[in-house]
Each structure stands twice: as C-alpha cells, then as structure tokens.
Amino acid sequence: MSSEPETDYEIAKSVEEQPIWEVTEPFGLDKDDLELYGDYKAKISQDAIDELLEGDTEDGDVILVTGMTPTPMGEGKTVTTVGLGQALNQIGEDAMIAIREPSLGPVFGIKGGAAGGGWSQVLPMEDINLHFTGDIHALTAAHNLISAMLDAHISKGNELNIDSRSVAWPRAVDHNDRALRQTIVGAGDSAGVTRMDEHVLTAASELMAILCLAEDIEDLKERISRIIVAYDEDGEPVTAGDIEAAGATAILLRDALRPNIVQTIEGTPALVHGGPFANIAHGTNSLLADYVGKKMGDYLVTEAGFGSALGGEKFMDVVSQLGDIEPSAIVLVASVRALKYHGLDMWPFEGEEVLQEEDVDAVEAGFENLDKHVSNLRQFGLPVTISINRFPSDTDAEIEAVREHYQDMDGVQVAESTVFGEGGEGGVELAEKVTDAVENYDGGFEPLYDLDASLKEKIETVATQIYGADGVNYVGSAEDDIAQLEEMGMDDVPVVLSKTFHSLSDDPAKKGAPEGWTLDVRELYPSAGAGFVVALTGDVMTMPGLPARPAAADMDIDADGTISGLF
Amino acid sequence: MSSEPETDYEIAKSVEEQPIWEVTEPFGLDKDDLELYGDYKAKISQDAIDELLEGDTEDGDVILVTGMTPTPMGEGKTVTTVGLGQALNQIGEDAMIAIREPSLGPVFGIKGGAAGGGWSQVLPMEDINLHFTGDIHALTAAHNLISAMLDAHISKGNELNIDSRSVAWPRAVDHNDRALRQTIVGAGDSAGVTRMDEHVLTAASELMAILCLAEDIEDLKERISRIIVAYDEDGEPVTAGDIEAAGATAILLRDALRPNIVQTIEGTPALVHGGPFANIAHGTNSLLADYVGKKMGDYLVTEAGFGSALGGEKFMDVVSQLGDIEPSAIVLVASVRALKYHGLDMWPFEGEEVLQEEDVDAVEAGFENLDKHVSNLRQFGLPVTISINRFPSDTDAEIEAVREHYQDMDGVQVAESTVFGEGGEGGVELAEKVTDAVENYDGGFEPLYDLDASLKEKIETVATQIYGADGVNYVGSAEDDIAQLEEMGMDDVPVVLSKTFHSLSDDPAKKGAPEGWTLDVRELYPSAGAGFVVALTGDVMTMPGLPARPAAADMDIDADGTISGLF
C-alpha cells in the first residue's frame, strides 16, 4: 500500500476490485443472493433480505460515526467510517459499513465525490458518484410523477378542490440549479394552472426520507400514500394517496428500496443506500441497509450527516425511535484543523492554509466545541471514542494536547486515525478502542425525549440539551403550525430540527459552544410519509446553486472512457 | 404456446427467460462481452463493441419496419418487428432485432408499454418500460446539467453575453407534465436570472438524438460540444462547448452510449437502445445498436417511428446519410383497421369498435393511403413487403381484398401477420417473403436527396415526393431561419421535417392520400450536435400532458413486488 500523493480517482483506479460476490460470501451472501449491476455493484435480492431479517442470526453492534462542528471542508466522517470498517476487519472482526449515496449536485458543483477518500474509499467510486444503481434517478422520477399527477389533477377538474396556492409538493432535480429554486409552472398557453413552484434537490425530497425509513414495499406504499402534497380550499391536507399516485410511485421505487452493496478499497463490504438531508430530514442511510448490515456483520459502522448535534442527534432521537436500531458506541470525528477553527473563532472561514501552522493554544481553545459534542453524546448513555482524523500538517504536540485533555474523562477515549493515507492500518488504534468500548458497554442507550412529549417539549429538549440554547422563541407561523399539527395528530412523532451546521447555535458566525442565546423556530411542517415533523429555524437551502466556474467545467472523458477532473 | 386472452404483463410473466448470455452466445457474444444488469439485461461491453465493429464479419441485411398512416391506436410496428425477428429465427435464419427504449411519459399517461405486445414482446418488459439500464435517466440528468450550467453562467457574470431571451436549450423531464410546458425560472428571490423556459420530454432532447447518432465517446463529446444552447447579444450561437459543459455531460452519458441487449419472448436477441422523437428528430434506435446488430445477425430487423412518410423517410434520408447503414428491404405494417379508418375518412377518430364490422368497401377505399406509402418507399429503390397485422375482428374477405390489390404490383408482396397472438409462428409467411425480397434485392437503394442540395430543395423534395404536396410555403420566420442556417454553414445537412402523423398531409383531418395542398413551413432550427436541421410545419408537442385520470392512477404493487395496472 502506497501513501504517495495521488488523487482519490487515481487511488481508486490503482486497486483491483474483487467480484462483489467474493466480498459478500464470507458475510453470508453468495452470488444468488445478489442482483448484479456488473461485477462490482449489486443490490441484495428481496429473498436474501427476507431471509436475513426473518432469520435468527443475532444482531451485530452498531457503531455510529458522527462529528464535531465541522469546517466548511468537512472533517472526514465518511473516510473514518470506511477506514474504521477496514481496520476492524484487519484486527479480525467481521465488520460491515453502511453509508449514504452521493447526489450529483455536489459532484458537479464544488464538493466532488462522497465515497470516502484516499485509501478509505468505496469502489467503484466513479459509478457510485454518478448513476450507481439508479436509486437517485428513480427517486427523481418518482417525485416528479407525483408532481405531474398533482398538477394534472388541479388543471383537469380539480375534484379534490386543491388550493393551487397551497401546494406542498415541490418538483425535484438532482443538480445544483439555482434558477429552479423558485419557478412559475403552467405559464403561457401551456394549458396548466399557473402557480408558484419550487425545486428541491432529490436528496431533499420526502421520498428520499421515506425510502430510508421504509421496512418493505407495503410500508413504502403506505408512507407514500400519507405524504401531504397540498391543502384544499378548506385547509385540509390532500395526500399522494388522495390523488391516486401511491401505487405508481411505489412501482418506480421498487428496485431502489433494496440496499446496494459494494466494497471498500480493502474489500470490506459496504452498503451504500439512500441519502436524505440532515437538516430537513434524518440524514442517514436506509434503515434496511442498517438492518441487513447488522445481520451480516458482528459490527456495522454507519454514519450520520453534519455534526453530532444535527445528524447524530437525529439518529438517536428520530431514527432509533422510528426503526429498530440503536448504537452501542459512538465515534466522534474531530480534527486539529476544526479545533483551531473554533479556537480562533474563525468566521468567515479563511481557508485551509491558515489552519496548517502549529498552534496548540488554538487547539485547546477549540476544545469548547468538542467538549460540548462529547457531553451531548454522553447524555444518550453511549461510550464516545474521539477519532482525530490526522492531516499531514498536524503536529505531534497538537495531537498530544487532544489526548491529554480527554485522558481522564469518563466514557471517553481518544484515537488517532490516518485511514485517509494508510487505509485500515491507520485505523487500528481506533478499531481497538471502539471494540473495547462496545465490549464494556452496559446497554444504557436512551433517546433524549419520548415520542408522547409535546412538540414544544421535544424542540426545547434538543435546543437546550444539545444546542446549548437558553430556550426557544416561536416566531412566524410556528405557533399556528404547532396547533395545526396537533389537530392533525402529527404531534406524537419525532421532530427534525433544521439548523445551520456551521455552529452549535443558530448563528453560523458563532464558534465553540455558544451560550446565552435563544433558538428561533419559525415554521413547522409535517413529513407525514416519513413520520416526523420538521421545525425550521432559519433559511434552509434545499436547492444549492453552481458557482461561476463549477467543478463540471473541468471534467472530461477521453476516447477510452477514462474520466478526468471528477475528483 | 397459448393464445388465451391474457394481458401483455401476464404473458410476459408466464415465460421463463434464459440468462441473457445464453441468448447472445449463438450470436457471438459470451458472458464476458456483457455488462450484466441482473441476469436478463445487459449492456454490451466496449471491448465487444470495438471487436465487432473493427472485425471482418460481414454485415447482415437490415430490414426496416415502418407503417402506413396509423390510427391513434397504432398499427403494431413494434409487435411486427419483434414477431418478424422471432419468425426469422424459426425458419432457421440468425436474426437480431433493434428497437427504441420506452419513455416513462406514455407509460404513466395513456399508452402503456412500448416493448411490443402479446406473444411478440421483449423481456423483462416491466423493467424495460420503467428504469431499464438507466439510459433515459442518464439523458435527463445530462440534459439538465447543461441547463444548470447555462443558467449559472448567465447569472454569474454572463461572460459570453448570452441573451437570456434567446436561450435555445429547454429543461427535460421524463414525464407527461403539462404544467412544465412553459415555465418561468429564476423567479422570486431565487438569485437566478428570471426568464421564460420550457420543458421537453427527455426523448425530445437533442441529447437523445445525439446518443442515437454518435459512433463512440469522442464523437459523442464533439457532438455535445456543438449543441447550440443559446444566442448572444449579437445573435451569434453559444454552444454547450462554450459553456464548458461537454466533458461533464459526456461523462454522464458514458454508459448510456453502449447498446442494451435483452431477449424476446422466444429468445431472439433484442437490442433496445435510444428513443428519439420521430418528428423533431430521426425517430429510430441508436446507430451503434444497428451496427452491432448487423454484425451479430445475418438479419437485423429494426423499426422507424410513426408512418413511413415520417420515420421511414427519416431513416432513409437522414440516418442513412449520417451513418453507415441502409436497408435491404422494407416491411410496411398495415392493418384492416387502419385501411377502414382511411376509407371511411374517419376524423376525429371514433374509436376502435366502429372499425370492427366487416366492410370490404371501406378497406378498398383505404388503399389510397397504403398505395401512397408503397409508391413512396419504392422511390428509394427498395422491395416492399406489406405486413397485414391481423386483428381478431378482421375477416378473410377483408384480408383477401388486400392480397388481391397488391398481387401484381412490382416489388411489392403481401403477408399476413398474427405475431401478436402466435409469436414467431404467426410471422412465418412474412419472414419467408422478406428473406426472398432480400435475396432478390439488387442494391439499388438511394436517398431522395443529396446533402449538398439547398435546404429548400430538400424540404420540397420530401413535401412533394413523400407527402404529396403541390409545393411549400415559407411562413413565419422560415425564410430568415434558412438564411441564418446557410450563414452558419448548417445547410449541407439532412432536414428533419416535423409534421402531424395523423395524415400524409399537414392537416390531421385529411385521410387517404391528400392532393391539391401546399405545405406551410413556419420555422427552422439547427440541431447542430445531432447534425440536422429541423423544419416545423405545425405545432409540435414535445411535452404531452396527463389525462384527467392517467394510467398511473390504476397502477399498484403488492407486498411481494408484483405490479398491476402497468399494461
């Protein structure tokens, strides 16, 4: 294994993949259990899923990878997830990983791929970052089928008396396309009903959240039929079921519901399935992938989007209460870079270079943020292993400062990770500490709130106990929305809080662990199909734009199909 | 084989498919030459494509299936294509078929599937009609990436001085969605530039035409870079290459470019690849599929969209001059139903039932239309075999009338086809007559016009020699458009005429072979990437709408994934 400086794509291309059935065989799935998409990608067959979930194999332990409040560069959650899975297999454990599917939007915008990086990637990375097995395309098509049926209903008699100003179902596209944020449809002489509309990224569609929570096809269809797509002239909800779209939509998602399986660079089996947003949805891969993964492996390493206060909290309060899953240990990804970013109170972000100089004081000043994440996570009753994702510019003194700070903290360990540059070998310390934590774990996991608490109680629990707010202000339509949700019976469900990921608070400029502030909640709406309520605290970006010179402009493909500029 | 009345879906489900590599092996492709999408769908690997096209295997003969002016129900071109392929194999020939990929729009609208029907279908029909191998989704994504990059360019500095009122690149969606016909994008505070926009069905995207004409990845990329996406403030064209979108767009189409291979109900290998419109594009499956197919089989049966005056003419004047392909024989699909429809001058269409009563006089009156198609096709120097797609209500007297009418016509034969109900067995007469025609064919094929004729000459040739018009009027912007196209050097290319398919004339109400009329050409525009000019003669429907109760409303899927209502 080399740690030469190479691009992710070059590293990925330098590795000889095994046929995927050879990767899954030691984990109990042979070739007949797979629906192949070429030799290196597969969906798990429905029969194999049923057999795994209905069989009496014991569940493996779930290790949840989450992170501190990141810099805009991200601190390497996916890399750590992939690397930890590889490291666990290196130390003799049977470990699976489960991560989200990338969206095309960021790939062509600025972010590049989302399949890990360096020597901790999932393969074939270019396929996974492009069309993969078509799940996201199926979601886009399914989403827009509902839109087309809804507008056809409105323009062809409107029997359900839908108020065209109260349509709650946007259109979806899997690109960063600013011009589609707000649109007017049915314009000109199109014969449609003219109305305001918007587009969201497919990852932000409620269908994505549904796909990631559905247990089987029937559940999927029932959830789809509950989606509120509009309100009628009396203000009553109109659902996808009411416009008779549930069956056809479920047909389009039939294949997408089955988890995809691929391999990491070291041949660890990787479930890559679903990718909901972590602000207006729950931000983690599909429950079905998790269910399958914990049956196949003794360990399932999975990740939650954004920092621990967003995706991490949602995994434990939302996903664990909607599905049959709970973590046995937390890996909290931190970096010297992010610690300095908080310690230096750097906002706006001044770029990576500024953070490459040794500055132990800044690292120590940044503990404020990491400490808060640690104590947040400890409230759930779980052991926390901080994984310092070590970058080449980090110094030993900086790393040592982190180790020292946490050495005597109860239920907390620190491990250094160099999985980006070294693959699983760079995650052995982390793997050993995490397995140790799992072995000593007493099973005391508890979500922070009960589902039968009021919506306000649930919001206030997260705001005060996780974000560190003094309390919550309900502004805009929030009070009315809560009253309506209670009337609809949508109050005994988890609440997904949508908040900036740049800070623990609702102000992206505030680094560390801000105190003395109050969270403004300005709007709530039901994701009735997914089974949660979304509470918005600020502007939500569900449709990013491309920069003046998008990443796509530098991409190319040569005559033999070799891609360049993609990553 | 049963001819019990069953739905297409039930028939399809009653057949045990062979693994696709067993289907292709006798035709020279083994498992290693295929990229499998499950056991029954595959793309042909690039290596196998290269080997076939660069090898010295002789080309098989191409049989082009086209039709008379159809009723709104369609007269069974795809069924005939599939059935003829099966029949040829039954009589001991090695025959392949090549057809277009269906679009989701009609599937969920009214038309149902497009994978043949009855005992002459391609399998797995529900996959082919839904996501298949993802080609159409890839095209939608690629199309909309260009849109996103174009609008980002305009709103982020607009260095190329694009006139936002002169954008020539719509957005694309693969649904019948009336509300998207005309839209306003960049509305509200979206931070985009507000402008009028429209959506086309993905099948109507120029990218679809390009995919179906490109010879390899380099050609694909070059064609994409030539697409005219807008005009600048000086009226000069701005291309996809100018906005640096060609590489990334080609990346998204890399896999879609390779032909898909599946099997018919009787195990005949079927290439199903690409599906451009037959009015604003050339209306036939990909050239690459044809190239591969004529290397693999002694016969390649392929079809062209709409009637022979539209898709048929385009295959011979456009496709044969842009690619390396020419037919050796024509199968002209006719039906007693369609003959009566013309004979009775039925407009608006009064439904199928009216046409089920025996009416030999009406059949004979309808020969006017079929005669014109026959003489049109004979102009290209090809033998014509009329295939009467026999329906259960057709009487022997009606069929006999057709046989008699054409029995002494030079270069013309008549065969009865019952491939819908009987599979290949029902196409044996047709297969024998067509092979006979091919064997006696003297190779005299000629397109109707030379590419170096002027645009007007080309248009007038088709209008007078095919449609039967007395001449052409240039109205609206047509004269200016022609001048501009000549200035751009886009005049030595084929012309794709867009005209109603309900009549040989430009008036859908006129049945038979209308005379004494003049064709109005009202607008011309370049499809510079595809390499042709489109001439519009009337309103073109590139974005259909859903009916008040779309087919989708009756679709369902049960717990074990079985689909109902799809077909």
Side-chain angles (χ1 to χ4, degrees), chain B residues 69-216:
Chain B
T69 306
T71 70
M73 320 287 297
E75 302 325 303
K77 277 195 313 290
T78 307
V79 167
T80 303
T81 304
V82 175
L84 174 56
Q86 295 181 149
L88 285 165
N89 282 296
Q90 284 207 13
I91 65 167
E93 305 290 350
D94 282 338
M96 304 275 305
I97 69 160
I99 60 174
R100 289 166 292 166
E101 294 184 62
S103 164
L104 288 180
V107 168
F108 292 116
I110 40 170
K111 201 186 154 199
W119 292 92
S120 291
Q121 298 184 48
V122 284
L123 306 176
M125 68 93 90
E126 75 277 26
D127 290 23
I128 294 170
N129 278 302
L130 294 171
H131 309 294
F132 199 25
T133 58
D135 293 346
I136 312 266
H137 291 322
L139 282 159
T140 307
H143 184 110
N144 291 328
L145 174 62
I146 296 177
S147 300
M149 291 181 77
L150 177 61
D151 272 311
H153 182 94
I154 295 172
S155 70
K156 294 272 181 182
N158 197 9
E159 269 181 38
L160 294 169
N161 257 320
I162 292 168
D163 176 358
S164 68
R165 296 157 306 177
S166 299
V167 169
W169 191 250
R171 282 179 165 79
V173 69
D174 191 29
H175 285 301
N176 289 2
D177 192 345
R178 177 184 300 106
L180 296 181
R181 260 177 217 160
Q182 289 184 46
T183 63
I184 294 167
V185 297
D189 52 1
S190 70
V193 169
T194 310
R195 64 175 185 83
M196 289 297 297
D197 197 10
E198 54 187 276
H199 279 71
V200 296
L201 266 192
T202 303
S205 165
E206 188 179 344
L207 283 181
M208 175 64 96
I210 287 173
L211 188 85
C212 290
L213 292 168
E215 311 250 335
D216 53 34

Side-chain angles (χ1 to χ4, degrees), chain A residues 480-563:
Chain A
D480 291 344
D481 294 341
I482 289 172
Q484 198 189 6
L485 287 162
E486 285 168 349
E487 205 189 295
M488 287 164 62
M490 275 292 292
D491 54 343
D492 58 348
V493 296
V495 178
V496 161
L497 275 98
S498 165
K499 189 185 68 62
T500 177
F501 67 91
H502 289 297
S503 171
L504 278 164
S505 78
D506 60 356
D507 179 352
K510 291 189 180 150
K511 301 297 143 201
E515 289 183 350
W517 61 282
T518 312
L519 182 71
D520 283 349
V521 169
R522 63 174 179 80
E523 186 188 337
L524 293 93
Y525 66 82
S527 280
F532 51 69
V533 160
V534 179
L536 303 182
T537 68
D539 285 337
V540 193
M541 176 58 73
T542 50
M543 176 46 72
L546 290 175
R549 190 176 165 78
D554 289 316
M555 294 182 188
D556 204 1
I557 180 168
D558 69 13
D560 72 1
T562 304
I563 289 170

Side-chain angles (χ1 to χ4, degrees), chain B residues 506-521:
Chain B
D506 60 357
D507 178 352
K510 291 188 179 149
K511 301 299 143 201
E515 289 182 352
W517 61 282
T518 312
L519 182 71
D520 282 350
V521 169

Side-chain angles (χ1 to χ4, degrees), chain A residues 36 38 131 141 145 156 171 175 177-179 181-184 186-187 189-190 221 244 252 549 556-557, chain B residues 36-38 131 141 145 156 171 175 177-179 181-184 186-187 189-190 221 244 252 549 556-557:
Chain A
L36 296 177
H131 309 295
L145 175 62
K156 291 274 181 181
R171 282 178 165 81
H175 285 300
D177 192 346
R178 178 185 300 105
R181 262 178 214 158
Q182 289 184 47
T183 62
I184 294 168
D189 52 0
S190 71
K221 196 171 70 183
E244 303 182 282
L252 281 173
R549 190 176 165 78
D556 204 1
I557 180 168
Chain B
L36 296 176
Y37 288 66
H131 309 294
L145 174 62
K156 294 272 181 182
R171 282 179 165 79
H175 285 301
D177 192 345
R178 177 184 300 106
R181 260 177 217 160
Q182 289 184 46
T183 63
I184 294 167
D189 52 1
S190 70
K221 197 171 70 181
E244 302 181 283
L252 281 172
R549 190 175 165 77
D556 204 0
I557 180 168

